[in-house]
Amino acid sequence: MKARKIREGIHWVGSVDWDRRLFDSLIPLPDGTSYNAYLIRGSEKTALLDTVDPRMTDVLMFQLETVPQIDYVVAHHAEQDHSGTIPQVLEKYENAKVLTTPKGKGMLIDLLRIPEERFITVDDGETLSLGGRTLEFIHAPWVHWPETMVTYLQEDHILFTCDFFGSHLATTDLYVTDEARVYEAAKRFYAEIMMPFRKIIQKNLEKIGGRAIDLIAPSHGPIYDRPAFIMDAYRDWVSEESKNVVVLPYISMHGSTEKMVEYLVSALAERGVTVHQFNLAVTDIGKLAITLVDAATIVIGTPTVHVGPHPNVFYAAYLANALRPKLKFASIIGSYGWSSKAIEQIAGLIRNLKVEILDPVLCKGFPRETDFRALDNLAATIAEKHGEHKLVN
Ligand code: FEO
């Protein structure tokens, strides 16, 4: 992909990674991703905002072949998918300096061994003129590392946000053309990467609000030429409001837990509760994360393996705990053969979740009539709790 013009003197550079399917050896990327960098020319100085993943270094360096001078490389974030080509850029442009937060400087030295003399650290709110164009650096920690910042280009009303507001989406569209598709990708990105820092993101949203913003240019996915679309979505995701939704991740080995899951899902649906059911043996863990953004309740279904939960359930519970969604209630259902500590072990795994634990339903072997009645009671309790909170689907 060649450089693409956004405004006179402002270009998208970077690369589209159509084939990447896993990030951090953890996060599924069903739609690939992009690594967006931006070249901004003022009348006196030129700045490159972020770079690209090391696997795409050649693409960026090819785009820069016709660029005679770069004075500044702005590093919003030290993670290598954006910083990984800074060393090659500094090698080509011998006088270029890296502008980053004080924390960013330390991390870039640690991760990339960039010499200390190549850095200029910027304070929160500091501005830098490129000649007719002014970069305003806004510290925005924990989107999603402690060093992160964003840059506001004052005259052009463009906010460059790196991971913040990003979406893992490989596309030739420079701007958002299909909001529904980008919404799903951006929500997945938020769920997997940003959600643990929900409270801090609330503050960051307030901090950047109040500025005139015509474009939000993230470093993954297309540029938002209707910034309200993504800012409103983020305000919703980080709000305290949950929805009338149950997430039900489960595993079944011989059908007993599955029978309980089917019964509970039906009982909840009859009571007007939306349920997202995930068989962890086959599910995309990213889809599970997306539904955790809004859900009020999680019910975890597990058989007992060596007195504890199935390992896939262990993993899902650990992940949900790490993502810190705004869940309000949790419960556990499942089956065991002779003895079980699954409830205690799962409860121990989800201590970060500030939830009320609703009475679990654990049955010996295949569920009996008394177990189905207990599941009815659980469904009624969930519907009642959601009703008390006036949650909507
Ligand atoms: Fe896209 Fe946190 O790197």
Side-chain angles (χ1 to χ4, degrees), residues 142-155:
W142 295 107
V143 287
H144 58 119
W145 281 10
E147 86 294 6
T148 46
M149 69 170 185
V150 301
T151 296
Y152 181 58
L153 186 55
Q154 291 180 339
E155 293 79 2

Side-chain angles (χ1 to χ4, degrees), residues 164-167 176 179-191 194-195 198 201-202 205 216 224 226-241 243 290 293-294 326:
F164 198 16
F165 303 122
S167 63
V176 174
E179 286 193 347
R181 184 166 184 237
V182 175
Y183 183 91
E184 170 93 1
K187 191 171 185 181
R188 175 186 282 264
F189 190 97
Y190 167 80
M194 299 289 173
M195 189 155 60
R198 188 171 64 87
I201 294 172
Q202 289 172 354
L205 283 171
I216 290 180
Y224 301 94
R226 196 172 74 81
F229 156 62
I230 193 64
M231 291 190 76
D232 287 348
Y234 258 74
R235 286 190 190 104
D236 179 33
W237 299 336
V238 303
S239 75
E240 302 303 326
E241 301 297 318
K243 293 197 165 56
I290 289 171
V293 171
D294 303 308
K326 52 190 177 188

